[in-house]
């Protein structure tokens, strides 16, 4: 059978057998699941069965622990008697206990699973726990009885649909506040969501939601996959945040981590039932050599059920509109792509490809579409795996978008290693416009990765120490002028060229200074750098507001023109002059990256004999520019002696201008 992916990309033809294997594995696994389940969705309803569930007349607690010799249930409800409440092995490695009476368990009570293995007593947090908290005295993590599944939250978002073109605002709830502390869901809802709405972003991507004992992991070392982090508030608070976002027309994506799990035993899944290899691969294969974490065995149906149920849980219970899948590259390859440059197509396929992981991602995307056809899925894959964003039925993996991860790397390289006059326009164009055939990207020039200690945001790289002394509107600084000019140009060219959606990390839109440093021993457990200084963008005496307004107007322009859904037509790349021009729809973009030379009567090709008028410029005074463009002049395209069609215009150094066809 010939899958469409082979038609989209002829270079895949030599690897058609790998595509066939990919699809054979998917079809076989889906068939296995449907043999004993009415649908993939019912298979993913495990969260309704396992863990603590309330029913008529009492409470059930169920756990999959195939290697346990015995299990008990204990907690506040029985005075922490470890052995007074034995669980029954009901087959297939599942243990169960029923506590009779509506008040047998009460919200907020601490609970624990007790596993007996080889006469050893192991204390564990239930794998499907929906509320996990840290004891303020012992600092140990433990589960609480919770009503997340049945709290009758007053949702008002029926019929909400995410926009097809996502403008993604990446955020971290805990560090979203000015004060040096851990922020809350409610503070984010009240203080930050209105900012996001005002900027024009229509999609929120939330990091660090699933519970993680180590705050500084940025949420990427998950221990409890069904528990919304208690650091930020209650499950109801998170539901309020999402419901409010939906009222504002903002979709909410969960940054989901199914690529690995924390290696902890007492508060994680590792050795849950006393043996290696329950949720994770046995032996060395179950250990990530670079991250020190555990790796899921995607070949096991029970693991698939756990992970797929986790996705359905977040969609059903919290109304998330989709997911950004973290660490996809690590999942796809047996060597986790460590040290791989992916210089040839052969590196994407057998024997290095983990077909089980590919199958899981296909099943995940299928499930998500079945639950919500309008959901959005984004893959964090730096390898460029072919078919990542092709439909599963066509031989792909099924994501909607992949992150353009090479773009921020290019900007760092250009800023760090090359003087402005040596930036190569052809290299820049290639990186910003390259795509896998028929696949959509989320373009971005920086995310949270570029804001962490050890790295720098674009604005901080451009301006560095001058940001502490010269960001006042009343001070003069050539360094700051350069930084502001390039920051706007970089964001505009990246957003308009590098994806069918775009992304920023909170604060980067206005050039947030400094870095992110989580509380740790090395900084005296300080929260000073683990916050966002929103007041900088609001202070009318500082230049940060210029960048914030530029971002707002840029997004407004893009949305009005439906720009990111329009194809790009290259009009001019002139490396000697450092000029790039291109068209999207009725808009003509002209960039002059030259650091010193402004061009008078510069010929800009348009490919037509139409009239154009300037509608957007990085050089506007309201954006911190020098107002060197004439807003009223109408440019008329003409035929030149060399038969090219276009017009002559003035393009100042370090500016970006957008012209629109007029009648």
């Amino acid at each position: 059978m010939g899958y469409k992916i082979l038609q989209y990309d002829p270079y895949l033809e030599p690897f058609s057998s790998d595509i066939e294997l990919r699809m054979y594995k998917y079809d076989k696994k889906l068939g296995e699941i449907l043999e004993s389940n009415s649908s993939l969705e019912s298979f993913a309803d495990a969260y309704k069965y396992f863990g603590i569930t309330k029913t008529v007349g009492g409470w059930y607690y169920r756990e999959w622990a195939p290697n346990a010799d015995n299990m008990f249930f204990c907690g506040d409800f029985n005075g922490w008697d470890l052995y007074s409440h034995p669980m029954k092995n009901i087959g297939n490695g599942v243990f169960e206990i029923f506590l009779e009476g509506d008040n047998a368990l009460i919200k907020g009570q601490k609970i624990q699973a007790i596993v007996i293995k080889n006469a050893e007593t192991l204390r564990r947090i239930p794998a499907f726990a929906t509320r996990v908290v840290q004891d303020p005295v012992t600092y140990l993590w433990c589960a609480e009885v919770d009503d997340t599944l049945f709290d009758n939250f007053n949702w008002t978002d029926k019929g909400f649909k995410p926009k097809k073109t996502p403008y993604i605002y990446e955020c971290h709830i805990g560090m979203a506040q000015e004060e040096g502390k851990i922020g809350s869901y409610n503070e984010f809802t009240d203080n930050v969501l209105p900012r996001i709405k005002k900027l024009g972003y229509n999609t929120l991507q939330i990091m660090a939601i699933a519970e993680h004992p180590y705050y500084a992991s940025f949420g990427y070392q998950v221990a409890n996959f069904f528990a919304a982090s208690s650091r930020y508030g209650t499950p109801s608070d998170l539901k309020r945040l999402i419901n409010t976002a939906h009222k504002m027309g903002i979709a909410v994506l969960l940054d989901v981590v199914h690529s690995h799990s924390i290696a902890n035993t007492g508060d994680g899944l590792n050795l849950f039932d006393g043996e290696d290899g329950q949720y994770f691969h046995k032996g060395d294969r179950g250990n990530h050599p670079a991250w020190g974490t555990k790796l899921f065995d995607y070949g096991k149906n029970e693991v698939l059920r756990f992970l797929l149920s986790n996705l359905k849980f977040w969609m059903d219970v919290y109304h998330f509109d989709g997911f950004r899948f973290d660490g996809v590259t690590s999942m796809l390859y047996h060597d986790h792509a460590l040290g791989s440059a992916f210089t040839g197509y052969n590196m994407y396929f057998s024997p290095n490809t983990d077909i089980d992981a590919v199958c899981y991602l296909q099943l995940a995307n299928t499930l998500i579409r079945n639950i919500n056809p309008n959901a959005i899925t984004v893959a964090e894959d730096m390898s460029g795996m072919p078919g990542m964003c092709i439909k599963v039925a066509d031989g792909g993996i099924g994501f909607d978008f992949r992150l353009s991860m090479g773009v921020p790397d290019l900007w760092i390289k250009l800023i760090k290693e090359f003087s402005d006059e040596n930036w190569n326009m052809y290299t820049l164009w290639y990186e910003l416009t390259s795509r896998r055939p028929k696949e959509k990207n989320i373009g971005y020039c920086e995310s949270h990765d570029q804001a962490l200690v050890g790295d720098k945001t674009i604005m901080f790289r451009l301006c560095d120490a001058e940001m502490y002394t010269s960001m006042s509107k009343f001070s003069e600084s050539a360094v700051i002028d350069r930084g502001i000019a390039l920051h706007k140009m970089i964001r505009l060219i990246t957003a308009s060229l590098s994806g069918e959606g775009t992304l920023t990390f909170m604060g980067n839109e206005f050039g947030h200074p400094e870095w992110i440093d989580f509380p740790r021993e090395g900084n005296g457990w300080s929260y000073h750098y683990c916050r966002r200084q929103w007041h900088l963008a609001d202070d009318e005496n500082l230049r940060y507001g210029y960048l914030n307004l530029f971002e707002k107007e840029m997004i407004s322009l893009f949305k009005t023109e439906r720009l990111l859904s329009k194809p790009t037509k290259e009009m001019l790349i002139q490396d000697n002059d450092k000029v790039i021009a291109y068209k999207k729809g009725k808009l003509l973009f002209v960039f002059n990256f030259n650091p010193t030379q402004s061009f008078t009567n510069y010929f800009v090709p348009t490919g037509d004999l139409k009239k154009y008028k300037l509608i957007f410029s990085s050089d506007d005074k309201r954006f911190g520019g020098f107002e060197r463009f004439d807003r009223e002049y109408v440019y008329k395209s003409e035929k030149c002696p060399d038969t090219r069609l276009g017009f002559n215009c003035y393009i100042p150094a370090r500016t970006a201008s957008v012209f629109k066809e007029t009648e």
Side-chain angles (χ1 to χ4, degrees):
M1 178 178 181
Y3 292 99
K4 286 185 179 180
I5 187 175
L6 300 174
Q7 301 171 24
Y8 298 153
D9 188 352
Y11 290 104
L12 284 174
E13 189 58 43
F15 306 96
S16 60
S17 60
D18 290 280
I19 301 299
E20 296 283 353
L21 177 62
R22 170 191 294 182
M23 297 309 299
Y24 170 78
K25 180 72 175 180
Y26 168 78
D27 290 337
K28 183 181 179 182
K29 183 58 69 174
L30 183 59
E32 268 181 41
I33 291 170
L34 296 181
E35 280 180 7
S36 53
N37 297 272
S38 60
S39 65
L40 188 58
E41 297 95 294
S42 65
F43 178 71
D45 275 336
Y47 77 87
K48 299 177 182 178
Y49 179 79
F50 288 100
I52 298 165
T53 57
K54 191 174 184 181
T55 186
V56 177
W59 300 72
Y60 275 105
Y61 169 49
R62 299 185 183 96
E63 197 74 62
W64 176 65
N67 300 301
D69 297 329
N70 213 336
M71 281 195 70
F72 296 85
F73 187 40
C74 74
D76 291 337
F77 70 93
N78 71 348
W80 290 95
D81 186 326
L82 300 188
Y83 309 111
S84 67
H85 284 68
M87 299 177 68
K88 180 182 179 182
N89 189 335
I90 61 173
N92 299 316
V94 177
F95 289 82
E96 173 187 278
I97 186 172
F98 178 72
L99 302 181
E100 189 173 349
D102 290 343
N103 294 321
L105 294 176
I106 299 172
K107 181 180 177 181
Q109 287 182 327
K110 303 294 189 296
I111 51 172
Q112 205 167 48
I114 304 299
V115 174
I116 307 299
K117 179 65 178 178
N118 297 330
E120 185 179 1
T121 298
L122 309 173
R123 303 175 76 122
R124 298 288 188 256
I125 290 178
F128 284 78
T130 57
R131 179 74 172 168
V132 178
V133 299
Q134 188 175 30
D135 186 277
V137 178
T138 65
Y139 296 105
L140 295 175
W141 290 84
C142 55
E144 281 187 351
V145 177
D146 181 50
D147 61 358
T148 301
L149 304 181
F150 45 86
D151 65 354
N152 296 317
F153 181 84
N154 184 29
W155 291 100
T156 60
D157 60 352
K158 185 177 181 180
F160 174 81
K161 293 182 181 180
K163 298 293 189 294
K164 293 186 181 298
T165 300
Y167 292 82
I168 300 175
Y169 200 82
E170 183 186 36
C171 68
H172 183 287
I173 302 298
M175 57 176 290
Q177 302 306 312
E178 288 256 0
E179 193 178 345
K181 64 169 189 175
I182 296 177
S184 71
Y185 296 122
N186 284 335
E187 287 172 317
F188 189 94
T189 302
D190 297 335
N191 303 328
V192 185
L193 272 182
R195 289 180 173 273
I196 297 168
K197 172 66 175 176
K198 188 175 181 180
L199 281 169
Y201 281 91
N202 60 23
T203 307
L204 187 66
Q205 180 178 297
I206 312 183
M207 310 171 64
I209 290 296
E211 195 61 84
H212 47 291
Y214 185 44
Y215 189 47
S217 75
F218 232 139
Y220 290 126
Q221 292 193 13
V222 176
N224 315 109
F225 287 79
F226 292 82
S229 182
S230 59
R231 288 185 176 91
Y232 319 130
T234 68
S236 291
D237 295 339
L238 175 56
K239 291 176 183 180
R240 173 178 174 256
L241 188 163
I242 295 170
N243 194 53
T244 304
H246 287 166
K247 286 181 183 178
M248 294 179 173
I250 299 171
V252 187
L253 306 183
L254 176 66
D255 193 345
V256 72
V257 186
H258 284 181
S259 48
H260 62 136
S261 178
I262 199 165
N264 298 17
T265 54
D267 48 21
L269 295 174
N270 191 21
L271 300 174
F272 184 91
D273 65 2
E275 281 196 13
D276 190 21
Q278 181 186 356
Y279 286 98
F280 311 114
H281 287 293
K282 289 185 178 181
D284 289 342
R285 190 180 175 191
N287 301 314
H288 196 291
W291 299 343
T293 50
K294 301 298 294 183
L295 299 172
F296 287 104
D297 182 351
Y298 303 107
K300 278 187 175 181
N301 284 2
E302 294 87 351
V303 174
L304 292 178
R305 181 167 57 178
F306 179 84
L307 296 175
L308 292 173
S309 177
N310 189 233
L311 298 175
K312 192 168 189 292
F313 167 82
W314 291 114
M315 296 180 76
D316 286 352
V317 177
Y318 285 97
H319 291 205
F320 277 98
D321 302 293
F323 303 91
R324 180 263 201 189
F325 279 71
D326 176 70
V328 168
T329 307
S330 175
M331 298 171 67
L332 292 174
Y333 308 101
H334 292 302
D335 64 1
H336 312 296
L338 297 174
S340 295
F342 293 96
T343 53
Y345 272 55
N346 61 302
M347 301 184 74
Y348 296 112
F349 300 108
S350 57
N352 190 33
T353 308
D354 187 336
I355 296 296
D356 288 332
V358 173
C359 182
Y360 164 65
L361 293 172
Q362 291 177 305
L363 290 169
N365 278 294
T366 300
L367 172 71
I368 293 164
R369 301 283 170 269
N370 290 350
I371 298 170
N372 180 3
N374 298 298
I376 298 170
T377 59
V378 182
E380 189 213 26
D381 170 38
M382 63 183 65
S383 75
M385 166 65 82
M388 183 65 67
C389 301
I390 300 292
K391 292 180 180 178
V392 173
D394 294 337
I397 299 177
F399 285 92
D400 293 300
F401 300 91
R402 67 162 84 238
L403 293 173
S404 296
M405 299 187 71
V407 173
D409 292 341
L410 175 67
W411 286 121
I412 291 172
K413 186 177 180 66
L414 287 176
I415 297 170
K416 186 177 179 180
E417 300 180 13
F418 296 88
S419 58
D420 295 5
E421 60 269 18
N422 288 321
W423 288 15
N424 188 291
M425 298 295 103
Y426 293 103
T427 300
L428 180 57
W429 178 265
Y430 175 80
E431 187 62 55
L432 291 175
T433 58
S434 295
R435 307 277 199 284
R436 288 285 182 204
K438 301 288 185 180
E439 299 197 40
K440 294 189 293 185
N441 284 27
I442 297 294
Y444 64 107
C445 52
E446 54 186 341
S447 67
H448 72 274
D449 287 325
Q450 288 73 45
L452 293 168
V453 167
D455 209 334
K456 294 181 180 179
T457 62
I458 285 174
M459 192 60 178
F460 209 44
R461 282 190 182 278
L462 291 170
C463 302
D464 223 325
E466 290 262 342
M467 293 190 76
Y468 295 109
T469 59
S470 305
M471 283 299 283
S472 167
K473 291 180 180 179
F474 309 107
S475 63
E476 294 185 3
S477 168
V479 171
I480 297 298
D481 288 343
R482 168 183 177 263
I484 286 179
L486 286 177
H487 191 273
K488 291 178 290 185
M489 295 178 72
I490 288 169
R491 294 185 75 82
L492 180 61
I493 196 170
T494 302
S496 60
L497 281 182
S498 66
E500 290 69 36
T502 189
L503 174 147
T504 192
F505 178 69
M506 59 181 188
N508 286 355
E509 69 277 2
F510 65 82
H512 196 288
E514 300 177 327
W515 49 83
I516 298 166
D517 191 7
F518 281 84
R520 55 187 174 84
E521 188 175 1
N523 64 16
W525 303 104
S526 171
Y527 287 88
H528 180 72
Y529 293 109
C530 197
R531 59 194 177 101
R532 297 284 89 180
Q533 300 180 64
W534 305 109
H535 74 277
L536 297 175
D538 299 337
D539 192 328
E540 294 183 358
N541 296 315
L542 299 178
R543 302 196 207 191
Y544 295 100
Y546 292 146
L547 301 179
N548 199 66
L549 180 60
F550 180 84
E551 186 87 1
K552 177 179 180 292
E553 295 298 319
M554 178 183 76
I555 291 174
S556 177
L557 173 66
F558 282 22
K559 291 167 76 173
T560 299
E561 298 293 331
R562 298 184 177 179
L563 192 84
L564 298 187
S565 62
K566 305 285 176 64
T568 300
K569 184 178 180 181
E570 175 189 336
M571 303 309 300
L572 175 71
I573 301 178
Q574 179 51 261
D575 190 52
N576 289 335
D577 295 339
K578 305 304 174 192
V579 173
I580 291 177
Y582 53 92
K583 292 183 74 174
K584 290 179 80 77
K586 293 184 177 182
L587 302 188
L588 172 67
F589 291 75
V590 182
F591 289 79
N592 180 8
F593 280 97
N594 199 301
T596 57
Q597 191 170 0
S598 299
F599 299 102
T600 304
N601 291 324
Y602 197 89
F603 181 77
V604 178
T606 62
D608 55 38
L609 291 174
K610 296 179 179 178
K611 297 177 181 179
Y612 289 83
K613 194 171 183 180
L614 182 73
I615 62 166
F616 188 72
S617 168
S618 66
D619 201 42
D620 283 2
K621 282 187 178 179
R622 62 198 180 117
F623 302 145
F626 298 96
E627 206 77 36
R628 289 168 287 181
F629 283 100
D630 185 346
R631 279 277 190 169
E632 301 304 317
Y633 189 79
V634 177
Y635 299 85
K636 299 178 182 179
S637 293
E638 298 177 345
K639 188 174 183 179
C640 295
D642 62 3
T643 72
R644 290 185 300 166
L645 306 177
F647 59 77
N648 293 309
C649 68
Y650 175 55
I651 49 174
R654 287 197 183 119
T655 61
S657 49
V658 183
F659 302 86
K660 185 176 182 180
E661 296 175 11
T662 62
E663 297 298 328

